[in-house]
C-alpha cells in the first residue's frame, strides 16, 4: 500500500530585508530677481519624494528627488523668504537573490548632515548627505502538505493564515481648486497638506478612491516677517484599474501631498488656483487560510518524517491614530517674538513597551523667531512621540507601512520658555509575522513489528498540558481510538489523567 500525500501552495512571507544608501546633497540655489537679496540664512530643510520603486533579481532601484528648501532673511526689510530646488536621484541597492512572487517596499530616510551658506547675495550653496532607507518584504508561494491517506497515517492539522497581496500601487495624482485670499500674496513661505481618504470602493476590475487634501498656505502679504495662513480643501477622485480584485479583499488608501503650486487668477484680486500633486498609496490584501499537516505518524509503519518552518503574515491592524506630543525648552533670547513653527518627522520605529511593542518616532520642532537684534533665528527642539497601541510579542514579529503627518503645531512662549504642542496623525497598515513548524516530507517503508502480541491494553499516566496526539504517536495507536476509549472530547489535557491505551484496534 502506498502512502498518499496531498499538497497545496501557501502564500508565505520570505525574508525581510533592510538596506541603506547615502545620497550626496550638492546644489546651488539662485535667488530670482523678484525676491530680495540674502541677509542671513535662517534654516535649510531636505524632504524626500519617492516616485518609483522597482525590484529586479538581486537589486532594488529607487527613483525620486530631494526637495531642498531654504529660508532666509532679506537684506533690507527683515522679510522672511523661501526658495527651493529639486535634486533628482536614482539609487540602486543590492538585495539577496531568491525566487519570490512579489515584494512590498517601504522607503524612508533622514538627513545625516547639512551645511547651507550664502555665497553672495543671490546664490546659496548647500552641501550634505541624506541617508535613504528601504525595507523590502518578499512574498513567495511555498508547497505544504495538507493531508495524508492510507498506510495507517495519522495527522495533526493546524490552520495557517496567510496574506495574499492583491494590489500594491503608488500613483501620482493632480487636483486643482480655486482659493480666495484675503490679501495680496507677496511671498509664499510654506505650503503643507494633509490627505484624507473618504472612500475606497472596489468594483469589477477597478478601485475608486475619493478624498481630499487639506492644504495650509502660509504667506506674507507685505514686507516683513508677519505671516498669514489660509486653508483650503482640494478634493480628488481617482479610478484605478485592477485585475481580478476579490470582493473579500481589505482595501486601504492614503494620499500623501508631495507638492503644491499657487497660481494667481488674471484680473481677479485675491483669486488664485491651488494645484496639488499627491502620491496615492493603494494597498489591497486578502486573508487566506490553509490547513497544514503539522505532525504525522503511522500506526503500521516506522515513518520517516522531516519538518520545516513556514513564515506567514497577517494583517494585525489598519491604523488611523493621532499622537499628541510636546517639545519645550529655553529660548536663547527671552524677548524673542515667535513667527511660526515647522515640524519634521523621522521614520517610525518599533520600541519595547509594557506588554509588548509600540510604534513611535522622533521629531523636531523648528521655531522661527525674531530676536531682539532684529534677526530671524530658528530654534530646534527635538521630541519623541508614541502611539497609544501596544501589540503583544517582540518587534521582529511586526512590520508597519505607515504615513505619519503633522496636523497641527502650536508654539507658545512665556517667561523665556517655548512650548510646542504637536498633533501627529498616523495612518497605515500593521502586519504580524508568525512562524509554524509543519511536515515537509514523510516516508513509510519499514513495517512495525508487534513484539508483544498478547498485550491488548496499556495504562499511561499523563500530565496536564499533554496532547493526546503526542501520546498516541508514542504508542503508534490512532488518537481517535484513545479518545473514544477514555471518553475524551478534547485532544489537549487540562489536568493529570490516567489514560487507557488500546494496543489493538
Amino acid at each position: 500500500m502506498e502512502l498518499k500525500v496531498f499538497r497545496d501552495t501557501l502564500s508565505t512571507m520570505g525574508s525581510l530585508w533592510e538596506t541603506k544608501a547615502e545620497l550626496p546633497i550638492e546644489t546651488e540655489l539662485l535667488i530670482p530677481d523678484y525676491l530680495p537679496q540674502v541677509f542671513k540664512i535662517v534654516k535649510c530643510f531636505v524632504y524626500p519624494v519617492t516616485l518609483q520603486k522597482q525590484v529586479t533579481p538581486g537589486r532594488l532601484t529607487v527613483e525620486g528627488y530631494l526637495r531642498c528648501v531654504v529660508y532666509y532673511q532679506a537684506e533690507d526689510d527683515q522679510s522672511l523668504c523661501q526658495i527651493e530646488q529639486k535634486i533628482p536621484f536614482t539609487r540602486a541597492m543590492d538585495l539577496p537573490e531568491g525566487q519570490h512572487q512579489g515584494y512590498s517596499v517601504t522607503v524612508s530616510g533622514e538627513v545625516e548632515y547639512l551645511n547651507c551658506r550664502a555665497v553672495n547675495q543671490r546664490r546659496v550653496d548647500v552641501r550634505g548627505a541624506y541617508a535613504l532607507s528601504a525595507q523590502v518584504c518578499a512574498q513567495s508561494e511555498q508547497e505544504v502538505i495538507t493531508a495524508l491517506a492510507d498506510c495507517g497515517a495519522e495527522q495533526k492539522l493546524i490552520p495557517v493564515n496567510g496574506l495574499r497581496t492583491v494590489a500594491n500601487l503608488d500613483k501620482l495624482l493632480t487636483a486643482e481648486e480655486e482659493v480666495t485670499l484675503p490679501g495680496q500674496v507677496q511671498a509664499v513661505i510654506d505650503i503643507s497638506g494633509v490627505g484624507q481618504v473618504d472612500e475606497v470602493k472596489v468594483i469589477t476590475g477597478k478601485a475608486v478612491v475619493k478624498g481630499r487634501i487639506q492644504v495650509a498656505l502660509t504667506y506674507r502679504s507685505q514686507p516683513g516677517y508677519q505671516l498669514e495662513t489660509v486653508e483650503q480643501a482640494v478634493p480628488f477622485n481617482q479610478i484605478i484599474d485592477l485585475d481580478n480584485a476579490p470582493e473579500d479583499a481589505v482595501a486601504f488608501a492614503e494620499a500623501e501631498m508631495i507638492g503644491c503650486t499657487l497660481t494667481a487668477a488674471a484680473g481677479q484680486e485675491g483669486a488664485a488656483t491651488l494645484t496639488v500633486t499627491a502620491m496615492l498609496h493603494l494597498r489591497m490584501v486578502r486573508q487566506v487560510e490553509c490547513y497544514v499537516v503539522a505532525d504525522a505518524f503511522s500506526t503500521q509503519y516506522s515513518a520517516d518524517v522531516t519538518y520545516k518552518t513556514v513564515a506567514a503574515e497577517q494583517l494585525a491592524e489598519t491604523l488611523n491614530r493621532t499622537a499628541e506630543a510636546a517639545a519645550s525648552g529655553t529660548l536663547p533670547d527671552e524677548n524673542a517674538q515667535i513667527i511660526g513653527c515647522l515640524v519634521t518627522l523621522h521614520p517610525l520605529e518599533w520600541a519595547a513597551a509594557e506588554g509588548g511593542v509600540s510604534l513611535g518616532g522622533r521629531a523636531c520642532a523648528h521655531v522661527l523667531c525674531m530676536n531682539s537684534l532684529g534677526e530671524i533665528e530658528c530654534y530646534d527642539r527635538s521630541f519623541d512621540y508614541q502611539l497609544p497601541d501596544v501589540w503583544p510579542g517582540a518587534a521582529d514579529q511586526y512590520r508597519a507601512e505607515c504615513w505619519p503627518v503633522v496636523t497641527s503645531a502650536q508654539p507658545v512662549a512665556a517667561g523665556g520658555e517655548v512650548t510646542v504642542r504637536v498633533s501627529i496623525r498616523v495612518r497605515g497598515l500593521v502586519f504580524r509575522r508568525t512562524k509554524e513548524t509543519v511536515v515537509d516530507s514523510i516516508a513509510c517503508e519499514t513495517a512495525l513489528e508487534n513484539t508483544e502480541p498478547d498485550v491488548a491494553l496499556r495504562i499511561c499516566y499523563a500530565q496536564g498540558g499533554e496532547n493526546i496526539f503526542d501520546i498516541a504517536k508514542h504508542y503508534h495507536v490512532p488518537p481517535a481510538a484513545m479518545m473514544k476509549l477514555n471518553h475524551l472530547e478534547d485532544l489537549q489535557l487540562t489536568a493529570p489523567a490516567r489514560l487507557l491505551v488500546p494496543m489493538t484496534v
Side-chain angles (χ1 to χ4, degrees):
M1 184 181 296
E2 183 180 355
L3 176 66
K4 296 179 181 178
V5 180
F6 301 89
R7 300 178 183 270
D8 200 353
T9 56
L10 176 68
S11 180
T12 62
M13 304 311 298
S15 301
L16 184 63
W17 304 307
E18 292 187 4
T19 182
K20 293 185 178 182
E22 184 178 271
L23 301 177
I25 301 173
E26 297 181 1
T27 187
E28 288 186 346
L29 289 81
L30 300 179
I31 299 174
D33 294 337
Y34 59 82
L35 288 178
Q37 296 179 348
V38 177
F39 166 70
K40 176 187 178 183
I41 299 296
V42 177
K43 190 68 177 179
C44 180
F45 297 97
V46 173
Y47 306 102
V49 176
T50 302
L51 299 178
Q52 187 173 357
K53 300 168 290 187
Q54 183 178 8
V55 179
T56 55
R59 176 163 295 189
L60 166 65
T61 303
V62 180
E63 296 182 8
Y65 59 87
L66 300 175
R67 276 186 63 222
C68 182
V69 181
V70 177
Y71 294 90
Y72 70 91
Q73 183 178 356
E75 185 176 30
D76 298 328
D77 51 16
Q78 296 181 326
S79 293
L80 179 63
C81 303
Q82 181 250 49
I83 55 173
E84 69 173 82
Q85 185 166 300
K86 296 178 180 178
I87 307 173
F89 68 85
T90 300
R91 184 51 53 100
M93 292 175 273
D94 292 334
L95 296 176
E97 294 189 9
Q99 297 295 325
H100 302 287
Q101 307 300 318
Y103 299 87
S104 175
V105 182
T106 303
V107 178
S108 60
E110 56 186 311
V111 174
E112 290 187 333
Y113 71 93
L114 199 60
N115 296 321
C116 180
R117 66 185 183 94
V119 178
N120 55 44
Q121 294 176 325
R122 288 288 174 186
R123 193 175 71 180
V124 176
D125 182 76
V126 180
R127 295 289 184 269
Y130 191 89
L132 193 69
S133 302
Q135 185 184 71
V136 182
C137 184
Q139 187 179 65
S140 60
E141 297 290 334
Q142 190 163 343
E143 190 177 73
V144 292
I145 297 177
T146 57
L148 301 170
D150 297 339
C151 293
E154 297 289 343
Q155 56 202 311
K156 181 197 291 185
L157 296 176
I158 60 170
V160 177
N161 296 313
L163 200 66
R164 188 182 300 275
T165 300
V166 179
N168 190 339
L169 302 175
D170 297 317
K171 179 185 178 183
L172 280 174
L173 66 87
T174 303
E176 292 185 352
E177 186 68 12
E178 302 297 324
V179 60
T180 301
L181 303 174
Q184 182 181 5
V185 177
Q186 188 176 80
V188 174
I189 303 302
D190 180 59
I191 304 180
S192 59
V194 177
Q196 179 63 51
V197 175
D198 298 321
E199 182 183 7
V200 182
K201 183 183 295 184
V202 180
I203 56 179
T204 305
K206 298 182 183 299
V208 180
V209 183
K210 297 181 181 179
R212 62 190 183 278
I213 308 292
Q214 190 69 29
V215 178
L217 171 67
T218 303
Y219 64 97
R220 285 191 296 104
S221 59
Q222 57 186 358
Y225 53 85
Q226 298 297 329
L227 304 180
E228 302 175 47
T229 300
V230 171
E231 293 191 2
Q232 177 67 49
V234 181
F236 64 85
N237 186 356
Q238 289 288 303
I239 300 176
I240 302 173
D241 292 330
L242 295 175
D243 295 330
N244 303 320
E247 296 181 356
D248 58 346
V250 177
F252 173 86
E254 174 67 346
E256 179 186 16
M257 194 184 89
I258 60 176
C260 185
T261 58
L262 178 69
T263 306
Q268 302 181 37
E269 185 176 355
T273 301
L274 280 172
T275 304
V276 172
T277 302
M279 184 68 74
L280 181 63
H281 307 283
L282 178 64
R283 304 292 184 263
M284 193 176 298
V285 295
R286 181 174 180 265
Q287 201 80 29
V288 293
E289 185 179 66
C290 180
Y291 278 85
V292 181
V293 178
D295 201 0
F297 69 94
S298 173
T299 60
Q300 302 173 8
Y301 293 85
S302 177
D304 183 13
V305 183
T306 61
Y307 301 88
K308 66 180 179 181
T309 300
V310 295
E313 191 173 59
Q314 293 88 42
L315 179 61
E317 191 162 352
T318 301
L319 277 184
N320 186 6
R321 303 284 191 274
T322 298
E324 304 291 341
S328 60
T330 303
L331 289 170
D333 186 343
E334 63 178 7
N335 297 317
Q337 179 184 350
I338 294 179
I339 299 173
C341 181
L342 302 171
V343 177
T344 54
L345 302 176
H346 297 283
L348 289 167
E349 296 177 345
W350 291 100
E354 185 176 353
V357 292
S358 61
L359 196 59
R362 295 177 292 115
C364 188
H366 311 277
V367 183
L368 301 176
C369 300
M370 174 64 74
N371 64 22
S372 56
L373 299 177
E375 297 181 358
I376 301 176
E377 300 281 353
C378 181
Y379 303 136
D380 297 336
R381 299 290 181 265
S382 298
F383 63 96
D384 296 328
Y385 66 95
Q386 208 76 24
L387 295 184
D389 306 79
V390 175
W391 290 273
D396 59 0
Q397 295 178 270
Y398 293 91
R399 73 177 180 93
E401 191 169 3
C402 299
W403 294 270
V405 62
V406 177
T407 56
S408 69
Q410 302 296 330
V412 177
E417 299 283 330
V418 62
T419 300
V420 183
R421 302 195 180 278
V422 183
S423 294
I424 301 170
R425 192 198 69 188
V426 179
R427 295 188 75 244
L429 303 172
V430 175
F431 301 94
R432 182 173 185 177
R433 295 164 60 89
T434 59
K435 293 183 178 181
E436 299 287 352
T437 300
V438 300
V439 173
D440 184 31
S441 66
I442 180 171
C444 295
E445 297 179 355
T446 306
L448 291 173
E449 295 184 6
N450 189 357
T451 58
E452 298 177 298
D454 297 332
V455 178
L457 198 67
R458 289 185 183 274
I459 298 176
C460 173
Y461 293 92
Q463 302 298 317
E466 287 194 74
N467 193 283
I468 296 297
F469 184 91
D470 298 326
I471 298 173
K473 179 181 178 181
H474 176 75
Y475 291 101
H476 293 279
V477 299
M482 275 193 66
M483 294 184 68
K484 181 178 179 181
L485 182 62
N486 291 276
H487 305 288
L488 298 175
E489 296 181 356
D490 196 339
L491 283 170
Q492 197 74 26
L493 294 175
T494 58
R498 177 176 175 272
L499 302 176
L500 300 176
V501 182
M503 302 310 296
T504 59
V505 181

